[in-house]
Amino acid sequence: MPDRFDEAAAWALKQPLGPEEQVALEQWLALDPRHSGALLRAMAGLSLVDAAIMPEADDQSRIAWPRRRIMAGMAGALAASFAGVIGWRTLTAERVSTARGEIRRLPLSDGSVATIDTDSELRVAFAADTRRISLDHGQAWFQVAKDRTRPFVVDAGIAQARAVGTAFSVERREDGVDVAVTEGVVAVWPSSARGEMTILEAGQFARFRPGAAAPTTGTAPAAIERTLAWRSGEIALENETVAIAVARFNRYNRQQLVLADPSVGEERLIGLFQIDRPEDFAATLAATLDVAVTTTPDEIRLAKKTSATR
């Protein structure tokens, strides 16, 4: 009787599949939860994983996976395959960081571009058979040059993202990791082997939280574009609270906005503001929300106007 790894190799070699073969593959995967992991190991070894994640535009060559989410065995096998087959952990990495208020556009050696947000740090490790970014903290938006022979993987601690010829952002914070796709298709999965791989298309996002087996996902193209307005040096607000806006401005500026009155932070507003001009934002609050503004070289204090300040 064939070994499951032999069967997995046979399925990998058959790609792309016809309709009847696709049904048969679905049935084979359902027979044993270990089959999904075996299949991914086989495909990684044959350098065909990228065809599953980012197929060419020609619909005739598209690989239609049986599920939008590929279960834990495949996610774990993917990480294991990269660590073992590519040996990325031994690569020499270039460290890149940005200071407060700095937004940096970084051309990469393969033709890709990383746009790095303020107060961020990442490491770039490229080799003949792989392209890997380790995001230690902060956020970056990647425009990935197509190269099927060199997987482009972003490691953000608890989460991984992989793409070919696409554009997406990854943000790593203490409370989790957010991935948002602006162009093409990206595969994401928890770094632990007990999660799921999820395929994201343009306009979709995934939020990973520590300990969760799967991310929270959704479709919000307009919201994604607003949250990425920092690439143009702007902060875009669409009914967000003043408190959220203040937190965004303070990431970029030495002169900090201070909510002297918590009730001001609960107000909501719409607008487009320059990241490096918190004083303009404060002036807008004063004009539209009846806010009193007190300015020093280090702070811009915001409070509700009283009868004495009107």
Side-chain angles (χ1 to χ4, degrees):
M1 188 171 182
D3 179 271
R4 70 172 181 277
F5 295 105
D6 292 336
E7 293 178 325
W11 280 116
L13 289 168
K14 285 183 180 180
Q15 305 289 347
L17 303 179
E20 294 182 0
E21 290 175 319
Q22 191 67 46
V23 172
L25 173 58
E26 175 111 22
Q27 293 171 342
W28 181 76
L29 289 171
L31 288 175
D32 189 328
R34 296 173 296 178
H35 282 176
S36 59
L39 178 61
L40 188 62
R41 283 188 176 91
M43 295 191 72
L46 292 168
S47 300
L48 294 177
V49 176
D50 285 307
I53 293 174
M54 185 63 185
E56 295 288 354
D58 181 3
D59 288 339
Q60 296 298 318
S61 65
R62 184 176 297 274
I63 295 176
W65 280 98
R67 299 175 179 83
R68 293 291 295 167
R69 294 192 173 191
I70 305 169
M71 298 307 293
M74 299 189 78
L78 182 64
S81 295
F82 287 144
V85 177
I86 298 174
W88 67 268
R89 297 180 188 278
T90 65
L91 298 177
T92 301
E94 175 190 1
R95 189 177 296 275
V96 181
S97 61
T98 55
R100 174 181 283 181
E102 180 185 6
I103 298 172
R104 182 175 177 184
R105 185 179 185 274
L106 178 67
L108 302 176
S109 60
D110 67 328
S112 301
V113 176
T115 303
I116 309 169
D117 198 5
T118 182
D119 190 24
S120 299
E121 185 171 5
L122 55 80
R123 289 167 290 153
V124 181
F126 282 8
D129 54 1
T130 185
R131 299 173 288 173
R132 193 167 189 93
I133 305 288
S134 295
L135 181 63
D136 294 335
H137 66 86
Q139 183 173 17
W141 179 65
F142 303 97
Q143 295 169 287
V144 182
K146 289 185 178 180
D147 187 345
R148 292 192 182 284
T149 66
R150 302 170 72 198
F152 191 103
V153 179
V154 177
D155 179 350
I158 65 170
Q160 313 279 317
R162 186 180 184 200
V164 174
T166 186
F168 66 105
S169 70
V170 181
E171 181 178 14
R172 181 175 180 179
R173 305 180 307 275
E174 290 185 1
D175 65 342
V177 173
D178 288 357
V179 179
V181 182
T182 56
E183 178 185 329
V185 180
V186 173
V188 298
W189 66 95
S191 297
S192 68
R194 61 183 188 84
E196 297 178 347
M197 179 187 289
T198 302
I199 307 300
L200 301 176
E201 299 178 350
Q204 296 182 327
F205 66 86
R207 292 190 177 120
F208 292 84
R209 295 298 176 259
T216 300
T217 61
T219 301
I224 288 173
E225 287 300 322
R226 287 197 301 274
T227 60
L228 293 175
W230 58 266
R231 296 172 298 173
S232 303
E234 297 173 330
I235 291 177
L237 304 173
E238 183 68 32
N239 202 38
E240 278 91 358
T241 65
V242 170
I244 289 175
V246 164
R248 291 184 187 175
F249 273 104
N250 286 346
R251 291 186 60 222
Y252 297 90
N253 296 286
R254 183 186 64 80
Q255 188 181 40
Q256 297 282 282
L257 292 163
V258 178
L259 290 171
D261 185 339
S263 65
V264 174
E266 298 172 1
E267 299 282 357
R268 295 183 177 272
L269 70 160
I270 297 172
L272 185 65
F273 303 91
Q274 293 298 307
I275 277 176
D276 60 351
R277 297 190 62 84
E279 67 277 12
D280 290 351
F281 174 72
T284 298
L285 297 183
T288 61
L289 297 178
D290 209 26
V291 170
V293 178
T294 305
T295 302
T296 70
D298 296 325
E299 293 183 347
I300 302 176
R301 299 181 67 83
L302 308 172
K304 282 289 188 181
K305 286 184 178 180
T306 64
S307 57
T309 58
R310 293 179 189 276

